[in-house]
Amino acid sequence: MTEARRGSPELGVGVGLRVPHYGRIFAEKPRIDFVEVISENFMGAGGRPRHHLERALELYPLVQHGVSLGIGGPEEPSRAYLESLRELVRRTKTPWVSDHFCWCGAGGAHLHDLLPLPFTPALVRTVADRARKIQDFLGVPFALENTSSYLTYKASTLPEWEFIAEVAERADIGLLFDVNNVFVTAYNHGLDPLRFVEAVPVERIVQIHLAGHTNLGTHIIDTHDGHVVDAVWDLYRLTIERAGAVSTLIEWDDAIPELEVLLAEVERARSERDRALDARRRGGSTLDAAVRAAVRAAARANPGANAVERRGFPQGGPRESAGAERPNEAAE
Amino acid sequence: MTDAAALQARITTFLRRRKDLTHDEEARRFAEEHLGASERLSAVEQLEIYREQFYLRHTASLVEDFPGVGGILGQSDWDRLVWDYLASVTPTSFDLGDLGAGFAAFAETCDWLGERRELVVDMARLEYAHTEVFDAPNATPLDPGKLGAVPDDAWEQACLVTDPGLRLLGLRYPVLALRRAILERAERADTSALALPAPKAGCFAVHRRNLAIFHDELAPNAFALLSALGRGEPLGRACESAARDGGVSVESLGAELEHWFATWAAHGYVVDVVISPK
């Protein structure tokens, strides 16, 4: 671990800690540099979720990531939610806490989705003001993540990267840069993913997310249900070449594979990261003209509609829930 | 309200609509006015992606939390109940586990469930109790010294604080065994017709101990007393309530108290004792 990134530690390459892997990760402590947990799955919780959180804290550095703040919504973020989050932050001692540039509902409704924001100067001010207050309230560095989006607003007057940069600068917060989300959004809205990566203020990035997605032909859904695709690895190296070493996390939330598959993805991330850091040291880049053209082409390609089962994708993977409980069977 | 807020409020109402927005003229007009189209999808088709995900995501959450209800109803009636429920409630909590809080009460209003209605309601109450106790806050076990320190003349005013991981259920059907059978059938991928049980009333404590959930059957009088204590009634008043509910004398309850208390303390139902002022 080295000190870097706006005073936040550089943790290496980690994974999102998900229920199907609890048993083996806790028993075998595989070579993972850190784990990330979804804050909402452990807020105010006792019982098995809290027990598993304590186990994870014994084994790995742990960071918290949220999916419910809705910082750009019409209402102020819930005080009760923030108090619960702060209690968890104090328990985990997470080096930073993150959520998304998004809104989650209006009029008291919570839609459990990460809805994209209209990119306007007015919302820059609203989101930045809230982010600064939240960072002060939580007492740890706060970071916001760029989301995958499936719609755009005619009211938007700023490119997404400019919106993100202005909020981060005005609020003095960090960025959680999701490279897969850049690719998904670029594909869905006809943007240049390289331009996105090259415009983001890399000095504010405290963490990177990598994940797989599902290409339905007409659009990509950010399902986190497979391997990171080649174009996203290319964008990841470009990010590292610009930013230097940044804590990097593999998210795999649906169709969760055997642990070995996830660990192989971690090794791939280490390898790609090393390549990019080496190029950075030499003042070069691993993305030559052909690679850059291939990335742009992938973000424009239309592979045709794929037959994919239509199902709901939970933000942050499956909850640990009572649904499969067999009462009176567990030994005390 | 800002322009963005007005936009977000409209979108929220559209995303909670039950029908595909691409066939909804109002949604189409709204989308064309406020949302951009991509090379591959129209504006309303993009909005529809989020509406479909709203229903799929929330349906999946209910499937996970209520496997017993699903097993009773079968796919078609389950879909009808869940979609009607999602159209009737507004999710307000960040916690998807809270989504089922009103599911049993909603099923109670569904006349179309016919003879299965009470069974479905009982199963929904049981499964939501599981969800509640599963990650309820941890409580410190009762210090036996605290019980011993209660003066004899203060017991009437003693309030026993119950474990946050305890729920008390009076059930009309034997849904505990039925739920177990449904889960086992699902494991075997058994799709044969499920025999639904006849009514059989019982009183149960659903309780989390050492990270696992337990069902403990309670005598009706013990259930009534524990329920009164759980409502915060002091012991004297709780005994009167339980005796009245059970049609027995307070004295006859008194004879059982020591045994019940020993069991409740051993199971961890009671986590504190507080003397309330007279």
Side-chain angles (χ1 to χ4, degrees):
Chain A
M1 185 193 300
T2 57
E3 283 297 320
R5 322 308 312 172
R6 299 174 46 76
S8 299
E10 195 283 294
L11 298 173
V13 180
V15 299
L17 185 63
R18 302 295 180 255
V19 179
H21 292 147
Y22 281 1
R24 288 194 56 194
I25 284 182
F26 295 150
E28 300 169 21
K29 196 178 184 253
R31 186 175 166 243
I32 300 165
D33 299 326
F34 72 105
V35 294
E36 181 191 84
V37 297
I38 300 301
S39 299
E40 287 81 357
N41 292 343
F42 300 94
M43 282 165 61
R48 216 176 297 161
R50 182 55 64 97
H51 172 74
H52 288 141
L53 179 70
E54 303 297 345
R55 288 286 291 129
L57 284 167
E58 289 166 10
L59 297 176
Y60 295 104
L62 180 148
V63 299
Q64 280 180 231
H65 180 54
V67 294
S68 300
L69 184 61
I71 195 166
E75 292 103 26
E76 291 288 326
S78 152
R79 178 82 184 184
Y81 173 88
L82 289 172
E83 284 175 355
S84 226
L85 183 60
R86 183 169 64 178
E87 189 272 334
L88 189 65
V89 163
R90 288 174 175 168
R91 179 175 287 265
T92 65
K93 299 183 172 54
T94 181
W96 62 83
V97 64
S98 60
D99 206 291
H100 298 82
F101 284 100
C102 75
W103 61 284
C104 299
H110 203 301
L111 303 173
H112 301 109
D113 207 338
L114 308 172
L115 290 141
L117 295 170
F119 301 129
T120 64
L123 263 182
V124 165
R125 291 189 292 275
T126 300
V127 174
D129 182 50
R130 290 174 180 172
R132 180 182 283 278
K133 287 176 183 165
I134 288 166
Q135 183 165 253
D136 291 345
F137 180 78
L138 296 177
V140 290
F142 182 56
L144 285 169
E145 174 183 348
N146 55 302
T147 58
S148 286
S149 75
Y150 317 122
L151 62 76
T152 56
Y153 302 93
K154 289 184 175 174
S156 289
T157 56
L158 302 169
E160 183 172 355
W161 49 83
E162 205 171 309
F163 181 88
I164 286 170
E166 288 201 20
V167 169
E169 184 65 29
R170 185 183 277 258
D172 194 22
I173 60 165
L175 293 176
L176 196 171
F177 193 55
D178 190 314
V179 181
N180 178 59
N181 287 354
V182 168
F183 184 82
V184 171
T185 295
Y187 184 96
N188 289 343
H189 306 311
L191 305 175
D192 178 357
L194 294 168
R195 175 144 190 235
F196 199 141
V197 172
E198 287 169 342
V200 79
V202 289
E203 69 282 1
R204 290 199 173 270
I205 299 176
V206 296
Q207 186 183 343
I208 289 174
H209 273 174
L210 295 168
H213 56 241
T214 300
N215 192 327
L216 298 171
T218 52
H219 60 287
I220 294 178
I221 300 272
D222 180 31
T223 49
H224 298 181
D225 65 348
H227 292 281
V228 177
V229 302
D230 286 345
V232 172
W233 286 123
D234 295 335
L235 292 169
Y236 172 59
R237 288 198 313 282
L238 180 60
T239 307
I240 294 292
E241 286 166 11
R242 292 192 66 232
V246 179
S247 305
T248 299
L249 187 104
I250 305 290
E251 296 179 292
W252 203 316
D253 297 336
D254 200 58
I256 294 174
E258 288 297 318
L259 185 59
E260 284 75 12
V261 177
L262 182 65
L263 296 177
E265 205 77 342
V266 169
E267 287 306 320
R268 171 86 188 261
R270 287 193 176 113
S271 162
E272 299 286 350
R273 191 167 107 130
D274 288 348
R275 274 182 70 197
L277 288 172
D278 185 50
R280 177 182 162 90
R281 273 190 294 272
R282 289 185 284 102
S285 174
T286 60
L287 281 75
D288 59 19
V291 173
R292 293 172 69 89
V295 171
R296 288 194 171 105
R300 286 195 307 272
N302 186 344
N306 297 327
V308 173
E309 180 195 354
R310 300 182 97 76
R311 60 189 194 279
F313 300 103
Q315 302 296 345
R319 285 180 293 134
E320 188 173 15
S321 75
E325 282 291 297
R326 305 295 180 90
N328 298 6
E329 286 188 1
E332 286 193 68
Chain B
M1 185 181 279
T2 64
D3 289 347
L7 202 55
Q8 290 163 335
R10 288 290 302 283
I11 289 174
T12 298
T13 63
F14 284 123
L15 299 192
R16 299 203 50 238
R17 289 196 175 168
R18 191 165 168 168
K19 297 279 172 57
D20 186 333
L21 294 177
T22 61
H23 303 305
D24 181 325
E25 184 55 25
E26 185 190 2
R28 190 188 59 74
R29 281 200 309 273
F30 167 83
E32 286 178 359
E33 185 178 351
H34 295 286
L35 307 179
S38 74
E39 286 178 13
R40 307 180 187 96
L41 292 175
S42 69
V44 74
E45 285 171 331
Q46 296 185 61
L47 189 60
E48 170 60 15
I49 294 169
Y50 286 97
R51 189 209 65 85
E52 184 183 51
Q53 276 297 308
F54 173 82
Y55 272 92
L56 292 174
R57 181 176 292 124
H58 289 87
T59 301
S61 178
L62 292 170
V63 166
E64 188 178 330
D65 289 346
F66 295 94
V69 175
I72 294 169
L73 291 178
Q75 193 65 50
S76 168
D77 283 350
W78 163 260
D79 287 346
R80 178 176 176 186
L81 181 65
V82 165
W83 283 61
D84 285 353
Y85 177 61
L86 288 176
S88 77
V89 298
T90 300
T92 56
S93 167
F94 68 83
D95 184 352
L96 271 172
D98 294 341
L99 183 63
F103 198 44
F106 180 78
E108 189 86 61
T109 68
C110 295
D111 291 338
W112 62 269
L113 288 169
E115 291 181 350
R116 297 170 301 173
R117 186 171 63 173
E118 286 192 350
L119 180 62
V120 167
V121 169
D122 271 8
M123 184 66 85
R125 290 176 62 222
L126 174 69
E127 295 193 309
Y128 190 64
H130 287 173
T131 295
E132 286 190 298
V133 307
F134 179 72
D135 63 352
N138 297 336
T140 307
L142 177 65
D143 174 4
K146 263 194 133 170
L147 279 182
V150 177
D152 286 347
D153 63 354
W155 273 106
E156 194 174 332
Q157 288 304 116
C159 291
L160 302 186
V161 179
T162 53
D163 186 350
L166 173 72
R167 294 293 180 277
L168 300 171
L169 295 177
L171 299 170
R172 298 162 292 193
Y173 281 84
V175 287
L176 312 177
L178 177 61
R179 183 173 182 279
R180 184 185 298 251
I182 288 170
L183 293 181
E184 288 170 358
R185 283 165 55 89
E187 276 183 0
R188 296 194 307 268
D190 180 353
T191 56
S192 62
L194 175 69
L196 298 181
K200 183 185 174 195
C203 299
F204 294 90
V206 176
H207 186 232
R208 193 188 73 222
R209 306 194 270 279
N210 296 336
L211 308 179
I213 296 175
F214 287 81
H215 297 147
D216 304 320
E217 186 154 15
L218 302 175
N221 290 336
F223 178 81
L225 179 59
L226 198 51
S227 298
L229 291 168
R231 291 193 297 269
E233 292 183 18
L235 184 58
R237 186 141 51 87
C239 284
E240 289 168 13
S241 300
R244 193 170 53 247
D245 291 349
V248 297
S249 67
V250 171
E251 290 70 27
S252 68
L253 286 183
E256 301 270 22
L257 276 183
E258 191 174 342
H259 164 63
W260 289 344
F261 275 24
T263 304
W264 298 348
H267 281 170
Y269 294 172
V270 176
V271 295
D272 200 3
V273 56
V274 178
I275 310 301
S276 69
K278 287 189 180 177

